[in-house]
Amino acid sequence: TYYTQLRLDALPPESADELLLALLGTDPTVEPLKPVLIARTGGNPLFLEESVRTLVEMNALVGERGAYRLARPLDTIRVPATVQAILASRIDRLDPQDKQLLQTASVVGKDVPFAYLLAIAKLSEEDLRRGLAHLQAAEFLYESALFPELEYTFKHALTHEVTYGGMLLDRRRGLHARMVEVIESRHGDRLAEQVERLANHAARGEVWAKAAQYTRQAGDRAAALCADAEAVAYYERALETLTHGPVTRESAREAIDVRFALRAPLWRGGHLERLHAVFREVEQLAAQHDETERLDVVYSFLVQYHWAKGEYEKGIEYGDRCLETGARRGDLGLQVTGHYYAGGCRHARGELRTALQHFQWIITALDGGRETERFGLSGLPFSGACALAAECLADLGDVIAADDLLRRGEAVASAANHLYSTVPLAIMRGRLRLEAGDTPGAIRVLEPAVAVCREHKFVGQTMRALTPLGEAYTAAGRAGEAVPLLREAIALQEAAGAFVNRALWVRTLAEALRCVGRLDEAAVTAQSALDFAVRLGERGNEAWTHFVLAEIAADRGRVAEAREHLAFACEASGRLEMRRLAAHCDRALAAMATPQASESNRP
């Protein structure tokens, strides 16, 4: 996640010839050698350079760089078949002490701080400097930094790889174990900055207890930065290291906690079913080792899981269990998760007042010092609850209170510098601006939010951000641009195996299709949205979808059908206290009452 890989193709013949001119020079004896080397190496520049150096070390070429001459007949020269073979043969021709030093350096890493090498090489500083000078002259290593400390690096990653691969396993393992001790000794007060390096050396040195510890910490560090693919890789490596020791209650506890740590990065990446499988493993381990409190965390995940699947009854059931157990044990994290996703289930079902109570409980409980705690979730529950409560308030018609809550959530997410937590707030900020008629302002907020989600592969938030952005594009007269974005949101949710708010996703697409004049497709799409809403019991989405169906029916000249859909939306908006929808219905009914509207068949 911290680098961009660029493909570097082999040099074309003319460029390869130019490189060999710089390496070999213009002596007539080397001219026949050039096409042989280009053909053998395929124009790979590293292979070309190492081939020349090998021929120099074999005394087939004599002179200086850029001014060599051939010292043997061309037909007696044998160039190794691969660059790896060339590097291996060059390493083997080193003085034994220099070869051992190069191998020791390869254990430190591609970048080799002098202090580390001095600590594990078993050489005096004078002998070490002399050996490094030899390796520099042979162009295996070069100085890469003098400040803040002297550091060397391998000339090429492949050189490092071949050197490292040529060592005996026992010696390599022992040097890695020694590196763990050296790093711990040198950075005792700042080990957090070295956890990735410690994790690598501990695992390769088979210091399994420390490998599990540092690999888990490296995963935590990556997860905190939302580098989720890297975090998952570290956590999975930590689980693998735990298999090398005896199975005890303590090791089982560690294995459970590492799986818990997978929750945030896998959730942010949209890996819903993979995460469900992980928590089923936790459930088995917790039951097997009588880890009751850890079973409660499993149930807190199941609230989240069933919310995402659109299985709201099950989500509320697990949420109530979390709230009861959390209150009895004084476990704030369990209560926060229970309220957060039980509130999400209530909100999805159109129970705005009840959902608002859940979110306000979180805001009140965390206000005054605990706003930046995550409790194992992907984002900050305080900021997330502010965004969700603001959404409830906006639907209930209290835009001023919604804006105030958003500002509180934004301040906390900004102070915590937690990127993931800024996204739901930006989504809701865009929705508020869109509802206020500030379409350009909504787009200015939502486009960067989508870009952040895509860059960091926040799959769930990507689909959530694409939907209001598509809605904003439609409002701005850019419905043609909105359609592919909205289809992308639906495809992302489909791939994740989630259904929550699918009706919202689909009805927004139906509205965009209506605005580009594809009325038949819009009608079919809106009906699909209605089917989702009814099947999942999403009464708010059901009401909104009837409103969209009314618009489509009016455009198709079906006034009676439009009035029927509007009547349903109006009744539901009053029953569910959805004042925002009620306002839309009132405007539509007023428009239908005018003669012009009747003639144009528009609600």
Side-chain angles (χ1 to χ4, degrees), residues 331-494:
D331 187 331
L332 179 61
L334 200 56
Q335 293 178 81
V336 164
T337 304
H339 277 292
Y340 197 93
Y341 286 104
C345 291
R346 299 285 187 184
H347 180 259
R349 297 203 313 184
E351 300 167 17
L352 298 178
R353 293 286 180 189
T354 307
L356 184 59
Q357 290 172 3
H358 282 292
F359 301 136
Q360 287 178 328
W361 188 97
I362 296 171
I363 294 165
T364 301
L366 302 184
D367 190 25
R370 306 196 71 170
E371 297 94 335
T372 59
E373 293 185 40
R374 283 198 300 115
F375 303 100
L377 298 179
S378 305
L380 302 174
F382 181 90
S383 293
C386 285
L388 292 168
E391 188 170 358
C392 292
L393 287 166
D395 280 335
L396 290 165
D398 195 344
V399 176
I400 295 175
D403 183 72
D404 178 63
L405 270 181
L406 272 187
R407 291 181 188 279
R408 290 177 66 187
E410 288 163 347
V412 168
S414 177
N417 194 29
H418 197 260
L419 183 65
Y420 184 80
S421 298
T422 66
V423 176
L425 294 159
I427 292 170
M428 192 56 215
R429 175 64 66 194
R431 286 191 180 279
L432 282 185
R433 291 190 178 178
L434 187 61
E435 190 60 30
D438 181 12
T439 302
I443 292 172
R444 284 195 300 272
V445 170
L446 292 166
E447 284 182 337
V450 169
V452 165
C453 291
R454 282 178 165 157
E455 178 185 354
H456 293 274
K457 297 181 174 60
F458 297 157
V459 173
Q461 297 290 16
T462 301
M463 64 181 86
R464 291 191 65 232
L466 284 170
T467 301
L469 180 58
E471 189 177 354
Y473 280 174
T474 300
R478 298 163 59 185
E481 296 175 62
V483 169
L485 294 183
L486 296 166
R487 290 195 190 283
E488 180 186 350
I490 294 167
L492 285 171
Q493 197 186 43
E494 187 72 31

Side-chain angles (χ1 to χ4, degrees), residues 183-405:
I183 296 171
E184 288 176 333
S185 174
R186 284 178 54 83
H187 301 279
D189 57 338
R190 293 182 291 113
L191 285 183
E193 300 170 10
Q194 303 292 325
V195 289
E196 293 89 354
R197 184 176 271 168
L198 284 163
N200 175 58
H201 287 298
R204 290 174 182 263
E206 299 183 10
V207 187
W208 297 121
K210 289 184 177 182
Q213 171 193 342
Y214 289 128
T215 307
R216 164 71 190 277
Q217 290 175 13
D220 291 345
R221 183 176 162 105
L225 295 169
C226 295
D228 291 330
E230 184 177 349
V232 169
Y234 275 121
Y235 289 140
E236 290 180 339
R237 207 176 305 161
L239 289 174
E240 195 278 330
T241 63
L242 287 169
T243 64
H244 290 278
V247 178
T248 63
R249 183 167 184 175
E250 184 58 36
S251 69
R253 211 176 267 147
E254 289 181 40
I256 289 172
D257 289 345
V258 172
R259 286 175 171 85
F260 283 157
L262 280 162
R263 180 176 185 173
L266 284 178
W267 181 265
R268 289 191 291 249
H271 302 293
L272 190 59
E273 296 308 324
R274 184 176 171 191
L275 193 50
H276 186 256
V278 166
F279 270 79
R280 286 305 182 195
E281 292 172 9
V282 170
E283 191 171 28
Q284 293 174 4
L285 283 168
Q288 183 180 343
H289 294 275
D290 196 27
E291 291 289 338
T292 307
E293 291 189 17
R294 284 168 168 76
L295 271 175
D296 293 334
V297 181
V298 174
Y299 300 140
S300 81
F301 163 73
L302 291 175
V303 185
Q304 184 179 13
Y305 175 79
H306 289 299
W307 165 80
K309 298 294 285 186
E311 298 166 350
Y312 305 125
E313 288 293 339
K314 286 185 178 179
I316 291 169
E317 177 188 335
Y318 279 113
D320 289 344
R321 181 184 300 188
C322 291
L323 295 178
E324 186 277 324
T325 305
R328 176 164 42 84
R329 290 186 180 162
D331 187 331
L332 179 61
L334 200 56
Q335 293 178 81
V336 164
T337 304
H339 277 292
Y340 197 93
Y341 286 104
C345 291
R346 299 285 187 184
H347 180 259
R349 297 203 313 184
E351 300 167 17
L352 298 178
R353 293 286 180 189
T354 307
L356 184 59
Q357 290 172 3
H358 282 292
F359 301 136
Q360 287 178 328
W361 188 97
I362 296 171
I363 294 165
T364 301
L366 302 184
D367 190 25
R370 306 196 71 170
E371 297 94 335
T372 59
E373 293 185 40
R374 283 198 300 115
F375 303 100
L377 298 179
S378 305
L380 302 174
F382 181 90
S383 293
C386 285
L388 292 168
E391 188 170 358
C392 292
L393 287 166
D395 280 335
L396 290 165
D398 195 344
V399 176
I400 295 175
D403 183 72
D404 178 63
L405 270 181

Side-chain angles (χ1 to χ4, degrees), residues 17 59 69 98 117 126 131 231 236 248:
D17 190 67
N59 295 317
R69 65 182 186 279
D98 290 344
L117 195 53
E126 182 181 353
E236 290 180 339
T248 63

